[in-house]
């Protein structure tokens, strides 16, 4: 069974930083895209950032210049470094990955359980 486990959320003051991690485990052959979505209370889930297997990145306009997504393929882990955090960044952050995994191997799109990041003074 393949699963994604997130960590790194918490409470931080405005202007502070958090680093989120998402590790994939199980019978994985290849991970294609890795990314982060978020959902604030009362709002729709939105894309924050994603990174392809080739290292190309894409960010939501609201986080450009403040957030950085990276991946460690050897560890099947994706990171989201969040700097200069604002109260409007408060949300549950979900990692999302597409991969070839399982037995027999097949294309999967998986989400993590979510980790809460709260930006407040």
């Amino acid at each position: 069974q393949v699963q994604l486990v997130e960590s790194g959320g918490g409470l931080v003051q405005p202007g502070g930083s958090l680093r989120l991690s998402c590790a994939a485990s199980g019978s994985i052959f290849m991970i294609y895209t890795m990314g982060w979505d978020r959902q604030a209370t009362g709002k729709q889930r939105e894309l924050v950032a994603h990174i392809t297997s080739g290292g190309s990145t894409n960010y939501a306009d609201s986080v450009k210049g403040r957030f950085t997504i990276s991946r460690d393929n050897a560890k099947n882990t994706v990171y989201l470094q969040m700097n200069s955090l604002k109260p409007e960044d408060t949300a549950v952050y979900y990692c999302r990955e597409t991969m070839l995994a399982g037995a027999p191997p097949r294309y999967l799109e998986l989400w993590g359980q979510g980790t809460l990041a709260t930006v407040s003074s």
Side-chain angles (χ1 to χ4, degrees):
Q1 183 176 356
V2 181
Q3 62 178 353
L4 306 180
V5 178
E6 300 154 347
S7 60
L11 173 64
V12 65
Q13 292 186 342
S17 298
L18 285 173
R19 188 186 192 217
L20 307 183
S21 300
C22 176
S25 62
S27 181
I28 299 170
F29 292 87
M30 181 175 181
I31 299 178
Y32 302 118
T33 60
M34 307 175 90
W36 294 89
D37 298 338
R38 68 184 179 186
Q39 187 166 21
T41 301
K43 295 188 177 181
Q44 289 187 330
R45 190 175 295 194
E46 62 175 354
L47 169 71
V48 175
H50 77 258
I51 183 168
T52 69
S53 57
S56 297
T57 58
N58 186 48
Y59 296 92
D61 288 342
S62 59
V63 307
K64 283 180 180 177
R66 300 188 297 122
F67 291 10
T68 303
I69 189 170
S70 61
R71 61 191 285 170
D72 184 334
N73 292 326
K75 296 181 179 180
N76 287 339
T77 299
V78 61
Y79 305 97
L80 186 67
Q81 179 66 45
M82 306 189 294
N83 297 330
S84 301
L85 283 161
K86 305 174 181 179
E88 51 264 42
D89 294 317
T90 296
V92 177
Y93 286 74
Y94 300 89
C95 64
R96 172 166 56 94
E97 300 184 8
T98 61
M99 63 182 68
L100 183 66
R106 62 196 184 279
Y107 179 86
L108 298 176
E109 184 173 22
L110 299 176
W111 284 262
Q113 80 283 359
T115 185
L116 177 62
T118 302
V119 185
S120 175
S121 56

